[in-house]
Amino acid sequence: MILALETSCDETAAAVLDGDDLRASVVASQAELHARYGGVVPEVASRRHLELVVPVAREALTRAGARLQDVERVAVTQGPGLIGALLVGLSAAKALAWARRRPLVPVDHLRGHVASLHLPPDPVWPPFLCLLATGGHTLLLEVREPASFSVLGTTLDDAAGEAFDKGARLLGLGYPGGAAIDGLAREGDAEAFAFPVARVGGLDFSFSGLKTALLYTVRDLGAEEAEARKADLAASYQRAIVRALVERARAAAERTGLERLAVVGGVAANSELRASLPDAAFAPLALCTDNAAMIASAARFTDPVPYPDYLSLDAYA
Ligand code: KG4
Ligand code: ZN
């Protein structure tokens, strides 16, 4: 039985995984706390994690019907993420493991996203091609072993989720913006504006030009007209991001010969992306955005550090 903690950004999460039985997954989102600043404020996030990490871990154990002494391994996100936020989870996990003389499993957050696919109800196992699209990363990965990968392509500037968030901000939709654009786009015409899909070499991505194109379009329209056409702008902008992701994923499939494509990370929750890749496997909706179930899942395929050697472990930003 694994108890996992995840505190890399603005979600405080804990999960209990027993074999492949996900007994509990608790996510306390801080999104509302950061919304008024238009983005995550690292120090505010760290302090909130500190308040939430024990109640969230306790809630996960309660929902799982387990006690701390039932936990065989404690897993935790070691990085990448906000360093102060990570340290809260890592310190809490060390304390929990140390108190029971259990091993600790440090987990890479990106491997965690990939491992969200290895959970019920429809687990996906390697080999497959994986599109990982979050607020911090946009990666095309070749996955040959569980929770492990080699990188085929990455973004040269903004991540796909970041492009959604920045676009939402330009349209006055608040933070985080991906889900807001997704919702508004349903009422708009995706062909109304022709936003560019950047063409960069290899299997890499670039989203900064798209964001600038939206900025200029909004400016040229003027405040009133931009407000009136907000749904069209959201739909066209989303179409450009989705098109870039789909094109590159298809090119990677051709290049690697990998027949199966899987999509993970917060942007995998996007309804247009899901509809545009009908043959792809998507992580379950609840496991697309940050959660601890995926960290527990990856921990099954990561070497544990024995008691008490992990006390000197550090997080990486
Ligand atoms: O994986 P995640 O929770 O955190 C990171 O590891 O970054 O991803 C968060 C990102 C945010 O940028 C958010 O706007 C985006 O995922 N996102 C979406 C949707 N839901 C969340 N983007 C597009 N459509 C959505 N429905
Ligand atoms: Zn993430």
Side-chain angles (χ1 to χ4, degrees), residues 198-250:
R199 309 216 174 256
V200 290
L203 293 172
D204 290 333
F205 302 88
S206 166
F207 293 105
S208 67
L210 175 62
K211 174 192 64 190
T212 311
L214 177 64
L215 174 70
Y216 289 157
T217 305
V218 167
R219 197 177 282 168
D220 292 347
L221 286 171
E224 209 168 298
E225 185 69 8
E227 180 62 31
R229 306 200 58 190
K230 210 150 95 167
D232 288 346
L233 287 164
S236 304
Y237 186 73
Q238 172 172 284
R239 173 65 51 88
I241 297 175
V242 168
R243 198 171 276 166
L245 295 173
V246 169
E247 274 180 11
R248 279 297 191 262
R250 294 234 164 93

Short mmCIF file of all heavy atoms in Angstrom, two decimals, residues 198-250:
data_model
loop_
_atom_site.label_atom_id
_atom_site.label_comp_id
_atom_site.label_asym_id
_atom_site.label_seq_id
_atom_site.Cartn_x
_atom_site.Cartn_y
_atom_site.Cartn_z
N ALA A 198 2.48 27.60 -35.42
CA ALA A 198 3.92 27.77 -35.66
C ALA A 198 4.53 26.51 -36.27
O ALA A 198 4.18 25.40 -35.88
CB ALA A 198 4.62 28.09 -34.34
N ARG A 199 5.36 26.71 -37.25
CA ARG A 199 6.08 25.58 -37.83
C ARG A 199 7.55 25.68 -37.42
O ARG A 199 8.28 26.51 -37.92
CB ARG A 199 5.97 25.59 -39.35
CG ARG A 199 4.55 25.71 -39.81
CD ARG A 199 4.25 24.92 -41.06
NE ARG A 199 2.82 25.01 -41.31
CZ ARG A 199 1.97 24.05 -41.07
NH1 ARG A 199 2.39 22.90 -40.60
NH2 ARG A 199 0.68 24.22 -41.30
N VAL A 200 7.94 24.83 -36.50
CA VAL A 200 9.34 24.78 -36.08
C VAL A 200 9.87 23.40 -36.44
O VAL A 200 9.10 22.49 -36.75
CB VAL A 200 9.50 25.07 -34.57
CG1 VAL A 200 9.20 26.52 -34.28
CG2 VAL A 200 8.59 24.17 -33.74
N GLY A 201 11.19 23.27 -36.38
CA GLY A 201 11.82 22.03 -36.84
C GLY A 201 11.48 20.82 -36.00
O GLY A 201 11.02 20.95 -34.87
N GLY A 202 11.70 19.64 -36.57
CA GLY A 202 11.57 18.38 -35.84
C GLY A 202 10.19 18.19 -35.24
O GLY A 202 9.18 18.48 -35.87
N LEU A 203 10.17 17.72 -34.01
CA LEU A 203 8.89 17.44 -33.34
C LEU A 203 8.65 18.44 -32.21
O LEU A 203 7.91 18.16 -31.27
CB LEU A 203 8.89 16.00 -32.81
CG LEU A 203 8.91 14.91 -33.90
CD1 LEU A 203 9.11 13.54 -33.28
CD2 LEU A 203 7.61 14.94 -34.72
N ASP A 204 9.27 19.61 -32.31
CA ASP A 204 9.12 20.62 -31.27
C ASP A 204 7.88 21.48 -31.49
O ASP A 204 7.26 21.46 -32.56
CB ASP A 204 10.37 21.50 -31.19
CG ASP A 204 11.56 20.73 -30.64
OD1 ASP A 204 11.34 19.76 -29.88
OD2 ASP A 204 12.70 21.08 -30.99
N PHE A 205 7.53 22.23 -30.45
CA PHE A 205 6.37 23.12 -30.47
C PHE A 205 6.80 24.56 -30.20
O PHE A 205 7.84 24.79 -29.60
CB PHE A 205 5.37 22.74 -29.36
CG PHE A 205 4.87 21.34 -29.42
CD1 PHE A 205 5.55 20.30 -28.79
CD2 PHE A 205 3.69 21.04 -30.09
CE1 PHE A 205 5.07 19.00 -28.83
CE2 PHE A 205 3.20 19.74 -30.13
CZ PHE A 205 3.90 18.72 -29.50
N SER A 206 5.96 25.50 -30.61
CA SER A 206 6.15 26.90 -30.22
C SER A 206 4.78 27.55 -30.13
O SER A 206 3.97 27.44 -31.05
CB SER A 206 7.01 27.62 -31.26
OG SER A 206 6.93 29.01 -31.05
N PHE A 207 4.52 28.20 -29.01
CA PHE A 207 3.20 28.81 -28.81
C PHE A 207 3.25 30.32 -28.56
O PHE A 207 2.21 30.94 -28.42
CB PHE A 207 2.47 28.13 -27.64
CG PHE A 207 2.09 26.70 -27.92
CD1 PHE A 207 2.79 25.65 -27.35
CD2 PHE A 207 1.03 26.41 -28.77
CE1 PHE A 207 2.45 24.33 -27.61
CE2 PHE A 207 0.67 25.11 -29.04
CZ PHE A 207 1.38 24.07 -28.46
N SER A 208 4.46 30.90 -28.50
CA SER A 208 4.52 32.32 -28.12
C SER A 208 3.98 33.22 -29.24
O SER A 208 3.37 34.25 -28.99
CB SER A 208 5.94 32.71 -27.72
OG SER A 208 6.79 32.64 -28.84
N GLY A 209 4.17 32.81 -30.52
CA GLY A 209 3.66 33.60 -31.63
C GLY A 209 2.14 33.65 -31.64
O GLY A 209 1.53 34.68 -31.95
N LEU A 210 1.55 32.54 -31.27
CA LEU A 210 0.08 32.44 -31.23
C LEU A 210 -0.49 33.42 -30.19
O LEU A 210 -1.47 34.13 -30.45
CB LEU A 210 -0.29 31.01 -30.89
CG LEU A 210 -1.76 30.71 -30.66
CD1 LEU A 210 -2.56 30.99 -31.92
CD2 LEU A 210 -1.94 29.25 -30.25
N LYS A 211 0.15 33.44 -29.04
CA LYS A 211 -0.28 34.33 -27.96
C LYS A 211 -0.20 35.80 -28.42
O LYS A 211 -1.11 36.59 -28.18
CB LYS A 211 0.64 34.08 -26.76
CG LYS A 211 0.46 34.98 -25.59
CD LYS A 211 1.63 34.78 -24.64
CE LYS A 211 2.96 35.19 -25.27
NZ LYS A 211 4.14 34.80 -24.49
N THR A 212 0.89 36.13 -29.14
CA THR A 212 1.06 37.49 -29.64
C THR A 212 -0.01 37.81 -30.68
O THR A 212 -0.55 38.92 -30.71
CB THR A 212 2.47 37.66 -30.26
OG1 THR A 212 3.42 37.16 -29.33
CG2 THR A 212 2.77 39.11 -30.57
N ALA A 213 -0.33 36.83 -31.52
CA ALA A 213 -1.37 37.03 -32.54
C ALA A 213 -2.71 37.35 -31.89
O ALA A 213 -3.46 38.22 -32.35
CB ALA A 213 -1.49 35.78 -33.42
N LEU A 214 -3.01 36.66 -30.80
CA LEU A 214 -4.27 36.93 -30.09
C LEU A 214 -4.24 38.34 -29.50
O LEU A 214 -5.22 39.09 -29.59
CB LEU A 214 -4.49 35.90 -28.97
CG LEU A 214 -5.75 36.13 -28.11
CD1 LEU A 214 -7.02 35.99 -28.95
CD2 LEU A 214 -5.79 35.16 -26.93
N LEU A 215 -3.11 38.70 -28.93
CA LEU A 215 -2.96 40.04 -28.34
C LEU A 215 -3.24 41.12 -29.38
O LEU A 215 -4.02 42.06 -29.14
CB LEU A 215 -1.54 40.19 -27.78
CG LEU A 215 -1.15 41.57 -27.26
CD1 LEU A 215 -1.91 41.87 -25.97
CD2 LEU A 215 0.36 41.67 -27.00
N TYR A 216 -2.64 41.00 -30.57
CA TYR A 216 -2.83 42.01 -31.63
C TYR A 216 -4.27 42.00 -32.14
O TYR A 216 -4.83 43.05 -32.43
CB TYR A 216 -1.84 41.77 -32.78
CG TYR A 216 -0.41 42.11 -32.41
CD1 TYR A 216 0.66 41.54 -33.08
CD2 TYR A 216 -0.13 43.01 -31.37
CE1 TYR A 216 1.98 41.85 -32.74
CE2 TYR A 216 1.18 43.32 -31.02
CZ TYR A 216 2.23 42.74 -31.71
OH TYR A 216 3.52 43.04 -31.36
N THR A 217 -4.85 40.82 -32.26
CA THR A 217 -6.23 40.73 -32.75
C THR A 217 -7.18 41.44 -31.79
O THR A 217 -8.05 42.21 -32.21
CB THR A 217 -6.65 39.25 -32.92
OG1 THR A 217 -5.72 38.61 -33.78
CG2 THR A 217 -8.04 39.14 -33.53
N VAL A 218 -6.99 41.18 -30.51
CA VAL A 218 -7.84 41.82 -29.49
C VAL A 218 -7.65 43.33 -29.54
O VAL A 218 -8.62 44.10 -29.48
CB VAL A 218 -7.51 41.26 -28.08
CG1 VAL A 218 -8.14 42.10 -26.98
CG2 VAL A 218 -7.98 39.81 -27.96
N ARG A 219 -6.41 43.76 -29.69
CA ARG A 219 -6.12 45.19 -29.74
C ARG A 219 -6.77 45.85 -30.97
O ARG A 219 -7.38 46.91 -30.86
CB ARG A 219 -4.60 45.38 -29.79
CG ARG A 219 -4.15 46.76 -29.43
CD ARG A 219 -2.65 46.85 -29.45
NE ARG A 219 -2.04 46.29 -28.26
CZ ARG A 219 -0.72 46.05 -28.16
NH1 ARG A 219 0.10 46.30 -29.15
NH2 ARG A 219 -0.22 45.57 -27.04
N ASP A 220 -6.66 45.18 -32.13
CA ASP A 220 -7.23 45.73 -33.37
C ASP A 220 -8.75 45.78 -33.32
O ASP A 220 -9.36 46.69 -33.90
CB ASP A 220 -6.79 44.89 -34.58
CG ASP A 220 -5.29 45.04 -34.85
OD1 ASP A 220 -4.68 45.97 -34.26
OD2 ASP A 220 -4.73 44.23 -35.61
N LEU A 221 -9.34 44.82 -32.66
CA LEU A 221 -10.81 44.79 -32.59
C LEU A 221 -11.34 45.92 -31.70
O LEU A 221 -12.43 46.46 -31.94
CB LEU A 221 -11.31 43.45 -32.04
CG LEU A 221 -11.24 42.24 -32.96
CD1 LEU A 221 -11.57 40.97 -32.19
CD2 LEU A 221 -12.19 42.39 -34.15
N GLY A 222 -10.57 46.26 -30.70
CA GLY A 222 -11.04 47.23 -29.70
C GLY A 222 -11.82 46.51 -28.61
O GLY A 222 -12.35 45.41 -28.84
N ALA A 223 -11.87 47.13 -27.44
CA ALA A 223 -12.41 46.45 -26.25
C ALA A 223 -13.83 45.95 -26.45
O ALA A 223 -14.15 44.81 -26.11
CB ALA A 223 -12.34 47.40 -25.05
N GLU A 224 -14.68 46.79 -27.03
CA GLU A 224 -16.10 46.45 -27.14
C GLU A 224 -16.33 45.27 -28.09
O GLU A 224 -17.02 44.31 -27.76
CB GLU A 224 -16.85 47.67 -27.66
CG GLU A 224 -18.29 47.74 -27.19
CD GLU A 224 -18.88 49.12 -27.49
OE1 GLU A 224 -18.36 50.11 -26.94
OE2 GLU A 224 -19.82 49.18 -28.30
N GLU A 225 -15.70 45.37 -29.27
CA GLU A 225 -15.84 44.33 -30.28
C GLU A 225 -15.21 43.01 -29.80
O GLU A 225 -15.77 41.92 -30.02
CB GLU A 225 -15.18 44.81 -31.59
CG GLU A 225 -15.36 43.89 -32.78
CD GLU A 225 -16.79 43.82 -33.31
OE1 GLU A 225 -17.64 44.61 -32.84
OE2 GLU A 225 -17.05 42.93 -34.15
N ALA A 226 -14.06 43.12 -29.15
CA ALA A 226 -13.39 41.92 -28.63
C ALA A 226 -14.28 41.23 -27.60
O ALA A 226 -14.37 39.99 -27.58
CB ALA A 226 -12.04 42.27 -28.01
N GLU A 227 -14.95 42.02 -26.78
CA GLU A 227 -15.85 41.45 -25.77
C GLU A 227 -17.03 40.74 -26.45
O GLU A 227 -17.40 39.63 -26.10
CB GLU A 227 -16.34 42.58 -24.84
CG GLU A 227 -17.29 42.15 -23.74
CD GLU A 227 -16.68 41.15 -22.75
OE1 GLU A 227 -15.45 41.21 -22.53
OE2 GLU A 227 -17.44 40.29 -22.24
N ALA A 228 -17.57 41.40 -27.49
CA ALA A 228 -18.72 40.83 -28.21
C ALA A 228 -18.35 39.53 -28.92
O ALA A 228 -19.18 38.64 -29.09
CB ALA A 228 -19.27 41.85 -29.21
N ARG A 229 -17.09 39.42 -29.36
CA ARG A 229 -16.67 38.25 -30.12
C ARG A 229 -15.78 37.29 -29.31
O ARG A 229 -15.03 36.50 -29.89
CB ARG A 229 -15.95 38.72 -31.39
CG ARG A 229 -16.80 39.70 -32.20
CD ARG A 229 -16.35 39.81 -33.61
NE ARG A 229 -16.38 38.52 -34.29
CZ ARG A 229 -15.83 38.32 -35.51
NH1 ARG A 229 -15.24 39.31 -36.12
NH2 ARG A 229 -15.91 37.14 -36.07
N LYS A 230 -15.90 37.39 -28.03
CA LYS A 230 -15.05 36.62 -27.12
C LYS A 230 -15.11 35.11 -27.39
O LYS A 230 -14.09 34.42 -27.39
CB LYS A 230 -15.49 36.91 -25.68
CG LYS A 230 -14.40 36.82 -24.67
CD LYS A 230 -14.63 37.75 -23.51
CE LYS A 230 -15.30 37.06 -22.35
NZ LYS A 230 -15.24 37.90 -21.12
N ALA A 231 -16.32 34.61 -27.64
CA ALA A 231 -16.47 33.16 -27.86
C ALA A 231 -15.77 32.74 -29.15
O ALA A 231 -15.12 31.69 -29.21
CB ALA A 231 -17.95 32.79 -27.89
N ASP A 232 -15.89 33.58 -30.22
CA ASP A 232 -15.21 33.28 -31.48
C ASP A 232 -13.69 33.30 -31.29
O ASP A 232 -12.96 32.47 -31.84
CB ASP A 232 -15.59 34.30 -32.56
CG ASP A 232 -17.02 34.11 -33.05
OD1 ASP A 232 -17.61 33.04 -32.74
OD2 ASP A 232 -17.54 35.01 -33.73
N LEU A 233 -13.22 34.29 -30.53
CA LEU A 233 -11.78 34.39 -30.26
C LEU A 233 -11.29 33.15 -29.50
O LEU A 233 -10.27 32.56 -29.85
CB LEU A 233 -11.47 35.66 -29.45
CG LEU A 233 -11.57 36.98 -30.23
CD1 LEU A 233 -11.63 38.18 -29.27
CD2 LEU A 233 -10.39 37.14 -31.19
N ALA A 234 -12.04 32.77 -28.47
CA ALA A 234 -11.66 31.59 -27.68
C ALA A 234 -11.64 30.34 -28.54
O ALA A 234 -10.70 29.53 -28.49
CB ALA A 234 -12.62 31.41 -26.50
N ALA A 235 -12.66 30.17 -29.37
CA ALA A 235 -12.77 28.98 -30.22
C ALA A 235 -11.65 28.92 -31.24
O ALA A 235 -11.06 27.86 -31.47
CB ALA A 235 -14.14 28.95 -30.90
N SER A 236 -11.33 30.06 -31.86
CA SER A 236 -10.28 30.08 -32.88
C SER A 236 -8.91 29.87 -32.26
O SER A 236 -8.04 29.19 -32.83
CB SER A 236 -10.30 31.43 -33.62
OG SER A 236 -11.57 31.68 -34.17
N TYR A 237 -8.71 30.46 -31.11
CA TYR A 237 -7.44 30.32 -30.39
C TYR A 237 -7.23 28.86 -29.96
O TYR A 237 -6.17 28.27 -30.17
CB TYR A 237 -7.47 31.25 -29.18
CG TYR A 237 -6.19 31.35 -28.41
CD1 TYR A 237 -5.10 32.05 -28.92
CD2 TYR A 237 -6.06 30.78 -27.14
CE1 TYR A 237 -3.91 32.17 -28.20
CE2 TYR A 237 -4.89 30.89 -26.41
CZ TYR A 237 -3.81 31.59 -26.94
OH TYR A 237 -2.65 31.71 -26.22
N GLN A 238 -8.26 28.28 -29.40
CA GLN A 238 -8.19 26.87 -28.97
C GLN A 238 -7.93 25.97 -30.18
O GLN A 238 -7.14 25.03 -30.11
CB GLN A 238 -9.49 26.46 -28.29
CG GLN A 238 -9.59 24.98 -27.98
CD GLN A 238 -10.80 24.65 -27.13
OE1 GLN A 238 -10.79 24.90 -25.93
NE2 GLN A 238 -11.85 24.13 -27.74
N ARG A 239 -8.59 26.27 -31.30
CA ARG A 239 -8.41 25.47 -32.51
C ARG A 239 -6.93 25.45 -32.92
O ARG A 239 -6.38 24.40 -33.29
CB ARG A 239 -9.29 26.05 -33.64
CG ARG A 239 -9.11 25.47 -35.03
CD ARG A 239 -9.51 24.00 -35.13
NE ARG A 239 -10.83 23.71 -34.61
CZ ARG A 239 -11.97 23.78 -35.30
NH1 ARG A 239 -11.97 24.14 -36.57
NH2 ARG A 239 -13.11 23.46 -34.72
N ALA A 240 -6.27 26.61 -32.83
CA ALA A 240 -4.85 26.70 -33.23
C ALA A 240 -3.97 25.86 -32.30
O ALA A 240 -3.04 25.17 -32.77
CB ALA A 240 -4.40 28.15 -33.24
N ILE A 241 -4.22 25.91 -31.01
CA ILE A 241 -3.41 25.12 -30.07
C ILE A 241 -3.62 23.62 -30.32
O ILE A 241 -2.67 22.85 -30.43
CB ILE A 241 -3.76 25.44 -28.60
CG1 ILE A 241 -3.43 26.91 -28.28
CG2 ILE A 241 -3.01 24.51 -27.65
CD1 ILE A 241 -3.86 27.35 -26.88
N VAL A 242 -4.88 23.25 -30.44
CA VAL A 242 -5.21 21.82 -30.64
C VAL A 242 -4.61 21.32 -31.96
O VAL A 242 -4.05 20.23 -32.02
CB VAL A 242 -6.74 21.60 -30.61
CG1 VAL A 242 -7.11 20.21 -31.10
CG2 VAL A 242 -7.26 21.82 -29.19
N ARG A 243 -4.71 22.16 -32.99
CA ARG A 243 -4.16 21.75 -34.29
C ARG A 243 -2.66 21.49 -34.19
O ARG A 243 -2.14 20.51 -34.73
CB ARG A 243 -4.45 22.85 -35.31
CG ARG A 243 -4.34 22.39 -36.73
CD ARG A 243 -4.84 23.45 -37.69
NE ARG A 243 -6.28 23.40 -37.87
CZ ARG A 243 -6.98 24.38 -38.44
NH1 ARG A 243 -6.38 25.48 -38.86
NH2 ARG A 243 -8.28 24.25 -38.60
N ALA A 244 -1.95 22.38 -33.49
CA ALA A 244 -0.49 22.21 -33.33
C ALA A 244 -0.19 20.90 -32.60
O ALA A 244 0.71 20.15 -33.00
CB ALA A 244 0.09 23.39 -32.55
N LEU A 245 -0.94 20.62 -31.56
CA LEU A 245 -0.71 19.39 -30.78
C LEU A 245 -0.99 18.15 -31.61
O LEU A 245 -0.21 17.19 -31.62
CB LEU A 245 -1.58 19.39 -29.51
CG LEU A 245 -1.26 20.48 -28.47
CD1 LEU A 245 -2.31 20.47 -27.36
CD2 LEU A 245 0.14 20.30 -27.89
N VAL A 246 -2.11 18.17 -32.33
CA VAL A 246 -2.52 17.01 -33.12
C VAL A 246 -1.53 16.74 -34.26
O VAL A 246 -1.11 15.60 -34.49
CB VAL A 246 -3.96 17.19 -33.65
CG1 VAL A 246 -4.30 16.13 -34.68
CG2 VAL A 246 -4.95 17.17 -32.50
N GLU A 247 -1.13 17.81 -34.97
CA GLU A 247 -0.20 17.65 -36.10
C GLU A 247 1.11 17.01 -35.66
O GLU A 247 1.62 16.10 -36.30
CB GLU A 247 0.11 19.02 -36.72
CG GLU A 247 -0.89 19.46 -37.75
CD GLU A 247 -0.55 20.81 -38.35
OE1 GLU A 247 0.58 21.32 -38.11
OE2 GLU A 247 -1.42 21.38 -39.04
N ARG A 248 1.65 17.53 -34.57
CA ARG A 248 2.93 17.03 -34.08
C ARG A 248 2.81 15.58 -33.57
O ARG A 248 3.72 14.77 -33.76
CB ARG A 248 3.47 17.92 -32.97
CG ARG A 248 4.16 19.16 -33.46
CD ARG A 248 5.38 18.76 -34.27
NE ARG A 248 6.24 19.89 -34.57
CZ ARG A 248 6.24 20.55 -35.71
NH1 ARG A 248 5.41 20.20 -36.67
NH2 ARG A 248 7.06 21.55 -35.92
N ALA A 249 1.72 15.29 -32.91
CA ALA A 249 1.51 13.93 -32.39
C ALA A 249 1.44 12.94 -33.55
O ALA A 249 2.03 11.85 -33.51
CB ALA A 249 0.25 13.87 -31.53
N ARG A 250 0.74 13.34 -34.62
CA ARG A 250 0.63 12.46 -35.79
C ARG A 250 1.99 12.25 -36.44
O ARG A 250 2.34 11.15 -36.85
CB ARG A 250 -0.35 13.07 -36.80
CG ARG A 250 -1.77 13.11 -36.29
CD ARG A 250 -2.74 12.43 -37.26
NE ARG A 250 -4.01 12.15 -36.59
CZ ARG A 250 -5.05 12.98 -36.60
NH1 ARG A 250 -4.99 14.12 -37.26
NH2 ARG A 250 -6.16 12.64 -35.97
#
